[in-house]
Amino acid sequence: VERNMTDIRIDVDVLGAVNIPVTEIADKLILLWKYAQTKKIQLAGFWSRPYENMGVSVLNDKAGFCGGVKGNSICISPAKEIYMCGYSHTILGNLDDFEKSLLVNSTYFNLVQRRQIGNMSMCRDCAIEGQCGGGCHITQEYVATAKTSKLDRMCELYKTMTICLLLENVFLK
């Protein structure tokens, strides 16, 4: 408030914070979210993305977790390598062959397609699949390379926060 900030992002490393119960993280985020509202500050994070996407039609718009997962953005490294996200380790192509990098059946195309609704086996039967889209690509990448089973914590946080934000907004109106 003293710095006239109107938008703040807070993200939680739920994969690394294994000793903190997800419900405790969710309770703290809701407290911070409510406090921010009293100060006319928009507080968001990846934990709020599925809720935010609830106003987006998955049939008419590209609901997704981020621009990379939606297929709306790419990042180019100084070595001309193309990535879905600046934090990703998955090289999708090279700027010198840019057109080839975006073709049907390219690495980029296949990665975006795998993240579309109905294509992620881990998300089937999840109440927020359409709004979440499997969450953060970097988290998915980390889980795949680290051979960890902590992804369920991320899903639990997103589902819990979506329910909490829905309930808060029902009672606020």
Side-chain angles (χ1 to χ4, degrees), residues 68-71 74 84 90-93 100-120 133 137:
V69 171
K70 290 181 194 181
I74 57 172
M84 174 182 270
T90 304
I91 300 171
L92 304 174
K100 289 180 184 176
S101 301
L102 303 178
L103 293 175
V104 172
N105 291 325
S106 68
T107 304
Y108 182 65
F109 177 88
N110 290 328
L111 199 153
V112 170
Q113 186 177 44
R114 280 194 311 270
R115 296 297 298 275
Q116 297 304 305
I117 298 166
N119 292 344
M120 299 166 288
H137 173 69

Side-chain angles (χ1 to χ4, degrees), residues 19-150:
N19 294 328
I20 303 171
V22 168
T23 53
E24 193 175 316
I25 295 169
D27 289 345
K28 183 64 78 172
L29 286 171
I30 286 296
L31 282 174
L32 291 168
W33 181 82
K34 286 180 179 180
Y35 176 75
Q37 285 198 321
T38 68
K39 303 298 181 183
K40 298 191 177 5
I41 295 173
Q42 294 294 316
L43 180 67
F46 285 140
W47 48 270
S48 63
R49 189 63 49 87
Y51 170 76
E52 294 162 4
N53 280 338
M54 288 195 157
V56 177
S57 168
V58 296
L59 299 176
N60 299 324
D61 301 312
K62 287 194 172 195
F65 207 78
C66 66
V69 171
K70 290 181 194 181
N72 291 345
S73 68
I74 57 172
C75 296
I76 311 294
S77 76
K80 298 184 180 182
E81 296 163 327
I82 302 171
Y83 297 88
M84 174 182 270
C85 169
Y87 298 101
S88 177
H89 295 287
T90 304
I91 300 171
L92 304 174
N94 189 284
L95 193 56
D96 293 331
D97 290 324
F98 184 71
E99 292 80 16
K100 289 180 184 176
S101 301
L102 303 178
L103 293 175
V104 172
N105 291 325
S106 68
T107 304
Y108 182 65
F109 177 88
N110 290 328
L111 199 153
V112 170
Q113 186 177 44
R114 280 194 311 270
R115 296 297 298 275
Q116 297 304 305
I117 298 166
N119 292 344
M120 299 166 288
S121 60
M122 66 172 251
C123 297
R124 290 202 183 107
D125 298 322
C126 176
I128 62 170
E129 176 187 3
Q131 289 72 33
C132 178
C136 175
H137 173 69
I138 304 311
T139 303
Q140 294 278 355
E141 225 178 61
Y142 168 76
V143 168
T145 57
K147 306 283 192 245
T148 180
S149 61
K150 297 177 186 175

